[in-house]
Amino acid sequence: EVQLVESGGGLVQPGGSLRLSCAASGFIISNRYMSWVRQAPGKGLEWVSVIYSGGSTYYADSVKDRFIISRDISMNTVYLQIYSLSAEDTAVYYCVVHLGGVRGSEAFDPWGQGTQVTVSS
Amino acid sequence: IQLTQSPSFLSASVGDRVTITCRASQGISNYLAWYQQKPGKAPKLLIYGASTLQSGVPSSFSGSGYGTEFTLTINSLQPEDFATYYCQQLSGYPITFGQGTRLDIK
């Protein structure tokens, strides 16, 4: 069974940093595209970053230069390092796997349970 | 690519048929997915490729469309269908979502 378990969220002061982890099981992360998606309280879904099976990475403009996505293949874990946190980064952060084949990415499935990041002094 | 869902709020009764529309600001072929989200839970994939039902999703859900206009239809609403629905485009980066449609019980 494919499963994603996020961790690393918490309460952080403005300007602080945090590293989120997404431990995967049931598949090998280097064979799939994986993304992070966030959802601010009472708001919609926002794609944040992707790491391709080959290791290339892309970011939303809103987080570029502050977020770094990476992976440890030996741990089958994807990470999201977040710097210079502000209140606008307060959200639940979800790890997702891209569903797709020869047509490329067609959806996100499955999703992890999410980890809450709260930025406040 | 911006996605605009309509309506943003929808009130319906058990047994009703409802349709949610998602319009893209430019053509996205059929790289369109639909998700259902319940409070405190992660989104659940319903449909991808605009019309392909994800395994395990009831056949009461269906999707259609191509290019810039897409629809999600739910036939014979069940109590567990009351939730928020999002469309998503994966035609290009940044991947974007619609603003959501909240479906409430009338």
Side-chain angles (χ1 to χ4, degrees), chain A residues 39 47 52 103 108-109 112, chain B residues 30-31 35 37 54 88 93:
Chain A
Q39 186 170 36
W47 172 81
Y52 283 2
R103 274 175 38 93
F108 290 168
D109 186 72
Chain B
N30 63 340
Y31 285 91
Y35 299 86
Q37 187 178 33
Q54 173 67 339
Q88 175 201 34
Y93 285 96

Side-chain angles (χ1 to χ4, degrees), chain B residues 42-96:
Chain B
K44 172 189 173 183
L45 175 65
L46 299 174
I47 287 169
Y48 63 94
S51 61
T52 301
L53 200 64
Q54 173 67 339
S55 176
V57 175
S59 58
S60 57
F61 290 88
S62 63
S64 66
Y66 188 91
T68 61
E69 187 152 336
F70 303 86
T71 59
L72 172 70
T73 298
I74 312 172
N75 287 299
S76 188
L77 277 169
Q78 298 301 301
E80 60 269 24
D81 298 335
F82 292 92
T84 300
Y85 293 85
Y86 293 94
C87 60
Q88 175 201 34
Q89 70 79 21
L90 300 99
S91 175
Y93 285 96
I95 292 170
T96 50

Side-chain angles (χ1 to χ4, degrees), chain A residues 87-101:
Chain A
E88 288 68 41
D89 297 315
T90 293
V92 175
Y93 285 72
Y94 295 103
C95 175
V96 301
V97 181
H98 289 224
L99 175 71

Side-chain angles (χ1 to χ4, degrees), chain A residues 38-71:
Chain A
R38 67 182 179 181
Q39 186 170 36
K43 302 296 185 182
L45 301 166
E46 179 187 20
W47 172 81
V48 169
S49 179
V50 62
I51 183 163
Y52 283 2
S53 51
S56 299
T57 60
Y58 297 93
Y59 301 90
D61 285 345
S62 59
V63 306
K64 201 176 296 184
D65 301 328
R66 294 192 303 117
F67 286 25
I68 299 175
I69 190 170
S70 63
R71 67 187 181 186

Side-chain angles (χ1 to χ4, degrees), chain A residues 18-30:
Chain A
L18 209 57
R19 189 178 80 159
L20 308 181
S21 299
C22 171
S25 58
F27 70 102
I28 299 171
I29 61 171
S30 56

